[in-house]
Amino acid sequence: MFDFLFSSVAMHPQFLNLVFGLGRQTSSGNDTFTSSYRSQTTHGFDICYNIRFFEPHGRALSDPWSCRQTAIHHKFRAEDGQSIWTVIHPPLLFSQRLEHAQSNQAVHPIALHICYIKASTHNLKAYLECKACELTSLDGKLSVSKPFSDFDTDFSTTQHLHSLKKKLNLALVITQGVSHVLSTLSTHVTDNTSLMRLTPDMDRDIHIEIAQLANDMKSHEATIQNLLTLVTNIDTLNTNILAFKNQDLLLRTTHSLAQLAHASATDTKLTTAIADKTQQDSRVMRIATLIAMIYLPANLVLVSYLSIRPFYFLSVASFCVATG
């Protein structure tokens, strides 16, 4: 179906690459490519480009925003002043403004581009305010003076800051891409003023619209740069806090180990004293054992000798009396 539409409208060949780029998207932020292409002849012109934009997804997630992308192709026929538009994945706000833009299209063929870009960048301010609130919360948690042990921060804060930095860099690339598209669109209007049969007032008005959008993009770029600077400052502060907390923990651990070493030394001295006392008792026991080994056999022999001898004299006396 799309091949038939592509060939019947005779779209710019680069628009097909933009559409294929939309199909290759696998996750938010995996492709920051934004470009614009245009061509013109005496019979008309073609202009196409893609834009990435932010929209609320409506799901219960920590980040309420999704990064999406869209593409548009515009073919203008000079003979009848008619335009053929092809829009892929348009922003939700674009359909709401389409009726008003179509009424202006009769006045200016580029009016729908202005509506399309405004719809694509409408949520950018709200998106940056959301990220600014997250950074303000982190800054308030870390910038208040208090003991290092009281700071409620860890490595997860560094990870959060890294995620915010990636999202802000993506927003910066998107803003720069829109600025590039606006520059191309302004050049395109200038080159085709006579082809579109524009009056000087119409030409001036469309350039004013484009310039206002370009100024908005410059303001958004400045805001993003300020937020990126704030991310860097908070990250540095968080790194220093974690370093001091680790140092304080190391000092506490060292002090605890010193106390344990002192207690261990005291136990060692007590154990040594007990060992010395045990050695003294062992020496006394060895002496007592030696005395017992000498005394007991001698005592046994003496007792045996004394118990046998009276019986022997008694027997001799009885024998003498009997023979006398």
Side-chain angles (χ1 to χ4, degrees):
M1 180 62 184
F2 183 78
D3 292 339
F4 173 76
L5 179 64
F6 183 84
S7 58
S8 61
V9 177
M11 297 181 183
H12 194 288
Q14 291 295 337
F15 183 65
L16 190 61
N17 294 331
L18 296 178
V19 174
F20 286 160
L22 301 181
R24 286 193 295 267
Q25 182 182 7
T26 57
S27 63
S28 178
N30 70 330
D31 184 13
T32 57
F33 177 78
T34 300
S35 187
S36 58
Y37 306 97
R38 66 191 186 96
S39 62
Q40 62 185 81
T41 65
T42 56
H43 303 290
F45 63 77
D46 290 84
I47 182 171
C48 60
Y49 51 88
N50 69 318
I51 292 179
R52 297 180 67 86
F53 61 98
F54 296 101
E55 275 188 343
H57 51 66
R59 299 187 296 272
L61 300 177
S62 57
D63 189 353
W65 297 95
S66 288
C67 183
R68 298 167 180 170
Q69 54 182 329
T70 179
I72 188 171
H73 180 275
H74 176 204
K75 173 177 283 294
F76 178 77
R77 296 183 304 194
E79 63 271 14
D80 55 4
Q82 296 297 314
S83 295
I84 300 176
W85 300 87
T86 304
V87 184
I88 308 296
H89 295 165
L92 295 177
L93 192 61
F94 179 68
S95 58
Q96 300 174 9
R97 298 183 175 181
L98 187 58
E99 182 178 353
H100 177 68
Q102 286 176 338
S103 63
N104 290 337
Q105 186 182 2
V107 179
H108 201 299
I110 303 297
L112 195 61
H113 287 282
I114 302 301
C115 175
Y116 178 75
I117 295 175
K118 283 183 176 180
S120 299
T121 59
H122 176 76
N123 291 317
L124 188 55
K125 182 178 179 181
Y127 179 81
L128 295 179
E129 288 177 351
C130 177
K131 300 310 169 187
C133 289
E134 292 185 44
L135 286 173
T136 302
S137 176
L138 289 174
D139 184 59
K141 185 172 68 172
L142 298 178
S143 61
V144 179
S145 179
K146 52 186 173 182
F148 293 112
S149 57
D150 294 341
F151 281 101
D152 184 21
T153 183
D154 50 22
F155 186 70
S156 62
T157 303
T158 302
Q159 293 175 312
H160 188 189
L161 288 170
H162 177 69
S163 176
L164 283 174
K165 189 173 184 179
K166 288 176 58 179
K167 293 176 180 178
L168 289 173
N169 279 323
L170 176 61
L172 180 61
V173 172
I174 291 174
T175 305
Q176 292 171 345
V178 174
S179 297
H180 170 73
V181 169
L182 289 170
S183 177
T184 302
L185 189 61
S186 178
T187 303
H188 184 74
V189 172
T190 301
D191 294 344
N192 293 277
T193 300
S194 59
L195 188 65
M196 292 184 289
R197 301 180 180 89
L198 300 179
T199 64
D201 290 341
M202 294 166 58
D203 184 66
R204 184 191 66 249
D205 291 342
I206 199 65
H207 276 98
I208 289 176
E209 290 277 0
I210 295 175
Q212 288 176 347
L213 285 173
N215 289 334
D216 290 341
M217 293 304 105
K218 289 181 181 179
S219 299
H220 290 320
E221 288 184 32
T223 301
I224 295 171
Q225 293 290 358
N226 290 335
L227 292 178
L228 286 172
T229 302
L230 183 58
V231 168
T232 302
N233 293 338
I234 296 176
D235 189 36
T236 301
L237 179 60
N238 184 65
T239 301
N240 292 335
I241 290 174
L242 292 178
F244 281 115
K245 285 184 69 175
N246 291 336
Q247 184 177 359
D248 183 63
L249 180 61
L250 180 61
L251 290 175
R252 292 175 182 271
T253 303
T254 302
H255 181 67
S256 299
L257 290 176
Q259 290 180 334
L260 291 175
H262 179 72
S264 178
T266 303
D267 293 342
T268 302
K269 290 180 180 179
L270 181 60
T271 303
T272 302
I274 294 174
D276 292 340
K277 196 69 175 177
T278 303
Q279 187 178 5
Q280 294 177 2
D281 294 343
S282 177
R283 187 180 298 112
V284 172
M285 290 300 298
R286 286 199 300 270
I287 295 173
T289 302
L290 180 61
I291 294 174
M293 290 175 63
I294 298 174
Y295 174 75
L296 288 178
N299 187 44
L300 179 61
V301 172
L302 181 60
V303 171
S304 300
Y305 177 75
L306 292 178
S307 61
I308 296 173
R309 189 177 181 85
F311 177 77
Y312 171 76
F313 284 115
L314 181 58
S315 301
V316 173
S318 299
F319 177 76
C320 289
V321 173
T323 57

